[in-house]
Structures are given as C-alpha cells and as structure tokens.
Amino acid sequence: VAGEGKNAPGISVHQVKKMLHNSDVVIIDVRKYRNWWQSNKKILTAVRENPSEVDQWAQHYPKDKSLIFY
C-alpha cells in the first residue's frame, strides 16, 4: 500500500545478490518506466511494476513472501 514503506529496512546489494534465487523472495523494480527503459542495469529475475499503480498490483503478491523493492 502506498506510503507504508517509509520505515522499511534497507538492504545491501550483497544481501540482494545472496537472495536472487530464493523462492521466498520477490524482487520488484518500481522505477518509473522511462528510467527503467533507459537503464542498462536491471535484475533479470525482477518483476517491473508501475510505482503509480501500486493499488492495482500490490494484492497480487503473496503475503508470505519477502518483497524487495528497488
């Protein structure tokens, strides 16, 4: 839900790399489309979601998974 992540803990790049193939983790790329499209740095296993449409997609992710947003 928008605004709830204000106090979410941070995670390092090293920690994310260790979690890339963990089936209990979903990595979500929430960069704006233009920034995502122009970037040559993407996590291949990440799902791209529109940050301005959180209410439309947030409920699709299981509550028992760890979500990493970047």
Side-chain angles (χ1 to χ4, degrees):
V1 177
E4 287 187 14
K6 291 180 182 176
N7 295 320
I11 187 169
S12 72
V13 171
H14 179 72
Q15 290 171 305
V16 172
K17 284 181 180 180
K18 288 174 32 177
M19 301 170 87
L20 283 178
H21 302 290
N22 184 335
S23 62
D24 291 326
V25 174
V26 178
I27 300 173
I28 303 173
D29 187 332
V30 291
R31 291 178 286 179
K32 293 187 179 187
Y33 183 76
R34 174 183 247 181
N35 296 339
W36 175 81
W37 182 254
Q38 292 176 344
S39 176
N40 63 352
K41 295 182 180 180
K42 296 179 178 105
I43 297 175
L44 296 178
T45 58
V47 178
R48 196 216 162 255
E49 295 285 6
N50 187 334
S52 60
E53 298 175 353
V54 173
D55 293 336
Q56 295 175 17
W57 54 260
Q59 71 276 3
H60 297 292
Y61 292 97
K63 295 187 185 288
D64 64 338
K65 303 281 183 178
S66 295
L67 305 179
I68 299 174
F69 297 93
Y70 83 102

